[in-house]
Amino acid sequence: MRPTPVIHVVDDDEQLRIALLRLLNAAGFEARGYAATGEFLLHPLPDHAGCLLLDVNLPGPSGLELQEVLRQHGCLLPVVFLTGRDDVPSSVRAMKAGAVDFLQKPVQADTLIAALQRALAQDESQRAAREARQRLAALFATLTPREQEVFDRIVAGRLNKQIADELHTSERTVKTQRSQLMSKLGVESAAELGRLAEQRQASGLGVASLSGNELAPAPDSAPAMRTR
């Protein structure tokens, strides 16, 4: 069961901050309030589901500066900005940095909640993609270097005999390594290996692109299976 998302509200206007927290709690959200960037940063950076509702103009570092600090530290919580004045340059800067929305005070409750729902949906999507990437990386980490070489050549369309020639080994050895890597990856066909390769590429983990003997073959005596 996934933890309940938390909306972090950073606004130095105490009355508004309290009103926002009450509104969000009444709408069924879990929300926490902070009076300034410094107060928010006194706590460990959030590593759970949620989003940020930031005032642009805060005492000390601004909401825009907080957005940048979080990005630099790998905190990818989506941000919805609130501002008390029409500030086009700040709006452009915030949106270029990935803000979900930039709302002007006073804001209608339904407009605010809709923006926060989009931010929470974006966070859920980002987390699901990161988790899928981690699972895929862990799966490929079980392959030995030689099994990885065989995998790369299978998905490049090589036949067992061609792979054996390129890796200076026997076709029987390639068949054994092919069977082992397919078992580790939980697939039963070359087509499934191809889909895994596509997923790996799409996730940014990369996969070798072979047009010839581009990879130096590893020794047949590959190291024992790595676990992580």
Side-chain angles (χ1 to χ4, degrees):
M1 182 176 179
R2 291 184 178 274
T4 302
V6 177
I7 299 174
H8 301 273
V9 180
V10 187
D11 198 305
D12 62 322
D13 184 329
E14 184 176 7
Q15 288 186 331
L16 177 59
R17 186 172 69 253
I18 292 173
L20 288 170
L21 293 174
R22 287 175 177 169
L23 170 66
L24 296 176
N25 288 330
F29 298 106
E30 182 177 343
R32 299 173 189 170
Y34 313 85
T37 294
E39 182 182 346
F40 176 79
L41 291 176
L42 286 175
H43 299 77
L45 292 180
D47 190 30
H48 52 256
C51 67
L52 286 150
L53 179 59
L54 296 182
D55 188 10
V56 174
N57 299 297
L58 293 165
S62 69
L64 291 168
E65 289 170 325
L66 175 57
Q67 181 190 29
E68 176 61 19
V69 167
L70 294 177
R71 186 188 64 80
Q72 291 175 354
H73 285 80
C75 181
L76 303 177
L77 286 182
V79 177
V80 173
F81 277 104
L82 285 176
T83 181
R85 59 175 182 264
D86 188 11
D87 187 348
V88 174
S90 293
S91 173
V92 171
R93 177 181 168 186
M95 299 304 286
K96 282 186 175 180
V100 174
D101 212 335
F102 195 93
L103 306 174
Q104 189 168 354
K105 303 174 185 177
V107 60
Q108 295 293 320
D110 57 350
T111 300
L112 175 62
I113 289 174
L116 292 171
Q117 286 174 331
R118 291 197 303 275
L120 292 174
Q122 178 178 312
D123 181 63
E124 183 177 4
S125 176
Q126 289 176 168
R127 288 179 183 277
R130 288 198 297 272
E131 290 170 4
R133 184 179 186 274
Q134 290 166 357
R135 288 194 298 270
L136 197 60
L139 194 63
F140 276 95
T142 65
L143 301 184
T144 66
R146 174 48 63 92
E147 288 167 349
Q148 180 63 67
E149 289 179 330
V150 173
F151 171 87
D152 291 338
R153 285 162 172 80
I154 293 171
V155 299
R158 303 287 201 275
L159 300 176
N160 288 340
K161 186 178 186 306
Q162 293 173 309
I163 297 172
D165 289 343
E166 290 182 13
L167 299 182
H168 310 299
T169 189
S170 69
E171 188 173 350
R172 180 176 179 180
T173 298
V174 169
K175 288 179 179 179
T176 298
Q177 292 165 339
R178 179 177 185 138
S179 176
Q180 289 171 340
L181 74 87
M182 291 177 72
S183 176
K184 289 180 180 180
L185 297 177
V187 300
E188 297 181 352
S189 68
E192 289 179 283
L193 287 178
R195 285 192 288 272
L196 270 182
E198 291 174 357
Q199 293 171 19
R200 189 183 184 192
Q201 186 70 37
S203 69
L205 295 173
V207 62
S209 176
L210 302 176
S211 57
N213 297 339
E214 299 175 7
L215 293 182
D220 279 330
S221 55
M225 184 181 78
R226 294 171 291 152
T227 57
R228 291 183 182 177

